[in-house]
Amino acid sequence: MKFNKYIILVIAGLLIFSCKENNGKDLAIKDANTSQQASDIEDKVSELLSKMTLEEKIGQMNQYNGFWDVTGPVPENGDQAKKYEHLRKGYVGSMLNVRGVKDVKAVQKIAVEETRLGIPLIIGFDVIHGYETLSPIPLAESASWDLEAIKKSAEVAAKEASAAGINWTFAPMVDVSRDARWGRVMEGAGEDTYLGSKIAVARVKGFQSDDLSTHYSIAACAKHFAAYGFAEAGRDYNTADVGTSTLNNIIFPPFKAAKDAGVRTFMNSFNELNGIPATGDKYLQRDILKKQWEFDGFVVSDWGSITEMIAHGYAKDGKHAAELAVNAGSDMDMESYLYVEELANLVNEGKVDPKLIDDAARRILRVKFELGLFEDPYKYLDESREKEVIGSQTIHDAVLDMAKKSIVLLKNENKLLPLKKEGQKIALIGDLAADKTSPLGSWRIAAKDETAVSVLEGLNKYTGNTVSYAKGADVSIGKNEFAFEVKINTTDTSGFDKAIQTAKQADVVVMVLGEHGFQSGEGRSRTDLGLPGVQQELLEAIYKVNKNIVLVLNNGRPLAINWADKNIPAIVEAWQLGTQSGNAIAQVLYGDYNPSGKLPMTFPRHVGQVPIYYNYKNTGRPTLPAKDIVFWSHYQDVANTPLYPFGYGLSYTTFDYANLKVSNTYGKDKKVTISVDVTNTGDVKGKEVVQLYVKDNFASITRPVRELKGFELLELKPNETKTVQLTLTEAELGFFDNQGQYLVEEGDFEVFVGGDSYADLTSKFKL
Ligand code: BGC
């Protein structure tokens, strides 16, 4: 080790010497410091490992859910008593769902002060879109295409969570998904690999910051490795059967991007992939992640996913499941209780190599050292910081900003929006319009019910108009994220009359319809993508008496809203926007914020089109060859096209694209530069996401009809023109073949530039 250190110092010296620029010098020093710290950590881990018994090492690989009232009396029997006893023996490496300084301190104290070696716990929690003060659901944030804002949002979430004693989040979820039936699309970045990879990086960097050891940064977790978003028929936990090309080109890249951004943990997934449960999949965890990608953090199982290998029909019993999981590279057992029960025997029987235990424990301890937990196990546990940070104005301001950036304007006929600020009678209709819990969305365990700003409250801050509210129909009476018995969607139409009367007297009707926050998320798959319950009937009933309707959608997934698209003049996609939801929506409706969001997922015309996505393959029969021909790739009853394509979103202004230029210098500096002039042709300031799509016309593996390969978010004043330059390099122009080799092939390429995935300003180049 000393020898290693010496070499590192010499290299560091040389690096510093060779850097003439000050900036370069600083960077070299930083790199050298980082490798020095890494090597110090390795030494410390080795020293600690040398003192640990087999059981203590296995203990590091054991994660328990929070149990008993940790600050109350000690549990005396049952599972809780066993967990407590394990904690005291040093057989627990991590806990999840223990939160708040008081509670975390109680368990950390046992680990640090009562166990033989005093190894601190790493405390995990699902900080998915905030801790107590919530930002928009991740799918909504992704609609901003604003990587800085998304990074900031993760940073703010980390700040609040860390103040509550959390030092590890089970986020970001980087599963690409093309199936809106799957409830967990709300938790990801949508359907696209390129956008998803950029967002994965932003989120990882936001959570972890540049320095994991600060008290406000927390370890991130790229999940769920792999193919969880490809569950058959969008049914959660279902089988995934995915070919090599999709796996390498669509599913893996956001994980790889997260790894390259330094994510410290991965979570495997509940699903089986091509016949092998991901938790027991050596190819995924050892061959790809740890060997090929050289990931040196640790892999946590998903909740009970080691035990679930029995139900999958892959493990014969719990002991066998533990053997399969550890051999496959799952380092930490979340709530299966199997590592702590079975691993020592498996090692003693020669079924598990002790080196694998050392490796897993080393990975976990490495991250604990990086977090600085050994220097100060109580660094996240400061009561005064907890009080000061959680729910602070700065955090509310940040989540409001993110919420506004996440809204997508889907339709705005006759400039119905923005609303006039004076003298208008507004009818506000819909259960969701007054709901203060639903906007929190799924994954909001630490947030209190009824803490979101409702649309009603948001609109009432504008006092120039009168707002009359009528519910119309219940959407839900859900209370608790885990109260599965909650009734969602009633068939009761008794509130229609009052809503109709209110609408009749109004100048404008704002209807807030869609899904309750508990209707998407884990275990919340749907077969129908329309407006749940009697909301469609309510919409049509109101339309009969007043056509001046602004439909505000609340939802955690793309919806199929054909009728609304055809008939309703203005539609605003407002997802579940978190704590500041109502304020963000009101500011957009009144034009104090000009919406600039773009859809991160295709909206279908009909659920039968799902999976529907913009980067599909052409097939051999892509277009209608002649009138009345049946034999081409289509549906008889619905068009192939989506209702709203990926990347789509309007603004209160308009943008013009011109002067597309492609300079192909690929032979020389391996770059293709694309430039385009974008002009704001309307009369208000606005932001536009300039999108670049590429088509490789002919390749040794068929390529999609187009793929997003670059984008830039820019703001333009009225009449202002900016030239945007986007660059394509090897990273954007190649693909993985079926052996997992990355290839950049010569040939003809087309580019498309514009404001959505139907961009039609086009040019060509050759490689
Ligand atoms: C989910 C994970 C989550 C874990 C812990 C599981 O059910 O699939 O994404 O991190 O629970 O809450």
Side-chain angles (χ1 to χ4, degrees):
M1 275 305 159
K2 270 196 185 127
F3 179 66
N4 281 347
K5 263 195 215 164
Y6 175 69
I7 290 183
I8 285 161
L9 284 173
V10 172
I11 293 171
L14 285 174
L15 271 173
I16 293 165
F17 183 67
S18 63
C19 287
K20 293 202 181 81
E21 296 286 314
N22 221 353
N23 195 13
K25 190 167 167 180
D26 288 349
L27 278 180
I29 292 172
K30 197 173 162 207
D31 283 354
N33 286 343
T34 315
S35 36
Q36 180 61 51
Q37 276 161 12
S39 116
D40 285 352
I41 285 179
E42 291 315 300
D43 288 353
K44 287 178 187 160
V45 173
S46 302
E47 199 189 321
L48 183 54
L49 276 175
S50 72
K51 293 184 194 147
M52 291 169 79
T53 63
L54 176 64
E55 286 72 16
E56 283 166 338
K57 290 174 191 166
I58 292 167
Q60 288 305 305
M61 301 163 69
N62 181 32
Q63 183 187 51
Y64 281 148
N65 188 40
F67 52 95
W68 90 96
D69 172 9
V70 284
T71 52
V74 168
E76 278 169 14
N77 38 44
D79 266 2
Q80 308 298 27
K82 194 193 266 178
K83 284 182 174 182
Y84 178 71
E85 184 204 324
H86 283 169
L87 183 58
R88 295 192 59 189
K89 282 189 171 157
Y91 295 173
V92 183
S94 171
M95 296 198 62
L96 76 153
N97 293 333
V98 185
R99 61 187 159 89
V101 168
K102 200 162 143 220
D103 286 15
V104 176
K105 204 180 257 175
V107 289
Q108 192 66 294
K109 220 164 174 275
I110 300 174
V112 173
E113 292 172 29
E114 295 186 32
T115 65
R116 192 177 77 89
L117 293 169
I119 300 175
L121 299 165
I122 178 168
I123 304 288
F125 192 73
D126 290 280
V127 186
I128 306 297
H129 53 114
Y131 176 70
E132 192 180 294
T133 316
L134 295 184
S135 57
I137 55 168
L139 184 67
E141 286 195 353
S142 307
S144 71
W145 295 53
D146 186 333
L147 300 174
E148 268 312 304
I150 293 171
K151 179 173 169 223
K152 173 90 192 294
S153 173
E155 217 171 272
V156 164
K159 196 171 172 202
E160 201 179 57
S162 60
I166 311 298
N167 44 46
W168 176 24
T169 174
F170 305 123
M173 186 185 98
V174 303
D175 297 310
V176 168
S177 181
R178 296 162 161 180
D179 197 328
R181 293 170 298 182
W182 190 47
R184 292 193 86 166
V185 296
M186 57 73 54
E187 202 180 331
E191 75 187 35
D192 187 52
T193 298
Y194 181 84
L195 178 63
S197 301
K198 300 277 175 206
I199 291 177
V201 171
R203 290 194 167 130
V204 168
K205 293 199 164 157
F207 287 129
Q208 297 193 165
S209 83
D210 285 343
D211 179 1
L212 200 56
S213 72
T214 63
H215 64 256
Y216 50 80
S217 42
I218 60 182
C221 179
K223 71 187 188 186
H224 307 84
F225 200 55
Y228 184 44
F230 275 66
E232 266 179 15
R235 183 156 56 78
D236 209 359
Y237 318 123
N238 205 3
T239 304
D241 206 322
V242 179
T244 352
S245 177
T246 303
L247 202 55
N248 289 323
N249 290 297
I250 306 293
I251 295 174
F252 282 165
F255 286 102
K256 175 68 163 48
K259 186 264 148 191
D260 291 343
V263 75
R264 297 317 288 135
T265 72
F266 265 60
M267 185 185 289
N268 56 36
S269 54
F270 288 127
N271 57 286
E272 66 158 75
L273 171 62
N274 304 334
I276 300 180
T279 306
D281 195 331
K282 188 171 161 295
Y283 164 74
L284 286 176
Q285 298 174 102
R286 288 213 185 276
D287 300 352
I288 298 291
L289 180 60
K290 292 180 178 174
K291 200 160 162 218
Q292 199 173 313
W293 297 353
E294 299 178 342
F295 172 66
D296 70 353
F298 68 89
V299 181
V300 63
S301 82
D302 204 343
W303 181 289
S305 68
I306 300 181
T307 308
E308 287 184 12
M309 289 200 288
I310 305 169
H312 274 290
Y314 189 65
K316 66 173 182 283
D317 53 26
K319 187 170 178 185
H320 188 208
E323 177 188 339
L324 289 167
V326 78
N327 285 337
S330 295
D331 300 309
M332 186 182 275
D333 170 1
M334 181 194 286
E335 276 287 299
S336 281
Y337 312 171
L338 287 173
Y339 280 5
V340 72
E341 301 287 349
E342 307 288 0
L343 279 190
N345 288 336
L346 285 162
V347 170
N348 294 333
E349 288 163 21
K351 289 188 175 145
V352 170
D353 185 338
K355 284 201 196 103
L356 295 186
I357 308 290
D358 279 5
D359 177 62
R362 171 178 291 279
R363 289 167 179 275
I364 294 161
L365 293 171
R366 180 182 289 143
V367 175
K368 290 185 178 183
F369 271 108
E370 289 168 356
L371 281 164
L373 284 169
F374 283 94
E375 266 163 40
D376 179 5
Y378 302 112
K379 58 188 286 207
Y380 294 91
L381 302 170
D382 176 339
E383 265 102 0
S384 60
R385 188 161 65 227
E386 184 178 39
K387 268 204 206 100
E388 184 194 315
V389 171
I390 297 182
S392 70
Q393 192 55 46
T394 333
I395 294 187
H396 278 278
D397 292 348
V399 301
L400 173 59
D401 182 59
M402 188 71 243
K404 289 190 281 192
K405 289 175 171 154
S406 305
I407 293 174
V408 186
L409 180 64
L410 295 176
K411 193 177 170 192
N412 192 20
E413 246 171 37
N414 311 321
K415 293 204 170 176
L416 183 55
L417 288 174
L419 299 174
K420 296 191 189 78
K421 286 186 178 165
E422 302 281 330
Q424 297 276 295
K425 277 195 224 145
I426 296 179
L428 178 64
I429 294 172
D431 196 7
L432 291 171
D435 201 311
K436 291 174 63 59
T437 294
S438 171
L440 301 174
S442 195
W443 289 120
R444 26 92 12 147
I445 303 167
K448 297 184 190 81
D449 281 348
E450 306 279 319
T451 50
V453 178
S454 69
V455 178
L456 177 59
E457 290 169 326
L459 287 183
N460 274 335
K461 292 197 178 140
Y462 288 80
T463 52
N465 293 332
T466 53
V467 178
S468 310
Y469 172 67
K471 178 162 76 172
D474 282 330
V475 165
S476 75
I477 40 176
K479 272 260 174 285
N480 184 304
E481 169 134 49
F482 295 112
F484 294 113
E485 72 284 4
V486 291
K487 263 201 254 160
I488 290 196
N489 304 326
T490 70
T491 49
D492 180 6
T493 55
S494 61
F496 276 32
D497 278 349
K498 189 182 164 208
I500 290 168
Q501 292 318 318
T502 315
K504 268 187 185 163
Q505 288 150 24
D507 299 306
V508 185
V509 185
V510 175
M511 294 189 75
V512 186
L513 305 178
E515 298 181 314
H516 189 277
F518 298 140
Q519 274 175 302
S520 55
E522 186 176 347
R524 277 101 171 186
S525 298
R526 290 181 64 203
T527 60
D528 178 1
L529 296 178
L531 297 171
V534 290
Q535 294 180 97
Q536 181 63 35
E537 282 170 70
L538 177 66
L539 181 62
E540 291 182 27
I542 300 294
Y543 180 76
K544 282 194 186 125
V545 300
N546 192 336
K547 301 203 168 9
N548 249 358
I549 298 177
V550 176
L551 171 61
V552 176
L553 291 171
N554 281 186
N555 42 308
R557 53 157 68 78
L559 295 177
I561 46 152
N562 274 313
W563 188 90
D565 176 64
K566 213 158 138 216
N567 296 289
I568 302 300
I571 307 178
V572 175
E573 175 53 76
W575 317 102
Q576 280 118 20
L577 291 175
T579 309
Q580 286 290 332
S581 174
N583 286 333
I585 293 170
Q587 289 184 31
V588 163
L589 295 186
Y590 276 113
D592 285 340
Y593 189 85
N594 186 357
S596 56
K598 301 276 188 178
L599 296 178
M601 246 185 123
T602 303
F603 275 43
R605 296 176 186 278
H606 190 281
V607 67
Q609 292 177 302
V610 169
I612 180 170
Y613 46 96
Y614 82 95
N615 49 349
Y616 57 90
K617 302 283 190 75
N618 228 2
T619 81
R621 297 183 179 196
T623 44
L624 178 63
K627 206 166 169 279
D628 297 333
I629 298 276
V630 170
F631 306 106
W632 66 289
S633 181
H634 74 302
Y635 300 101
Q636 287 190 328
D637 50 354
V638 175
N640 283 359
T641 52
L643 184 62
Y644 303 119
F646 172 83
Y648 170 80
L650 304 171
S651 160
Y652 293 149
T653 187
T654 44
F655 300 97
D656 186 53
Y657 286 74
N659 231 349
L660 176 63
K661 288 187 199 137
V662 177
S663 82
N664 184 358
T665 52
Y666 199 77
K668 271 188 267 150
D669 56 6
K670 301 220 158 192
K671 270 188 198 158
V672 179
T673 311
I674 283 90
S675 80
V676 66
D677 293 345
V678 187
T679 306
N680 180 343
T681 48
D683 46 21
V684 287
K685 182 176 82 173
K687 282 192 273 176
E688 169 73 333
V689 182
V690 179
Q691 300 163 42
L692 166 66
Y693 294 86
V694 176
K695 180 174 187 219
D696 181 350
N697 281 337
F698 166 82
S700 57
I701 297 269
T702 60
R703 308 302 306 132
V705 290
R706 57 178 65 184
E707 289 180 295
L708 181 74
K709 290 297 179 186
F711 64 89
E712 193 170 312
L713 176 64
L714 78 164
E715 185 166 57
L716 293 170
K717 294 193 225 63
N719 292 321
E720 192 186 4
T721 300
K722 276 185 189 162
T723 302
V724 175
Q725 274 217 350
L726 295 159
T727 308
L728 298 171
T729 64
E730 201 175 77
E732 287 81 28
L733 293 169
F735 57 89
F736 291 94
D737 68 10
N738 285 341
Q739 280 67 49
Q741 290 302 310
Y742 191 74
L743 305 176
V744 181
E745 291 182 346
E746 291 178 355
D748 294 329
F749 288 74
E750 284 176 64
V751 293
F752 309 87
V753 178
D756 61 49
S757 58
Y758 271 49
D760 54 7
L761 192 59
T762 178
S763 185
K764 294 181 180 182
F765 65 88
K766 247 188 204 316
L767 274 200

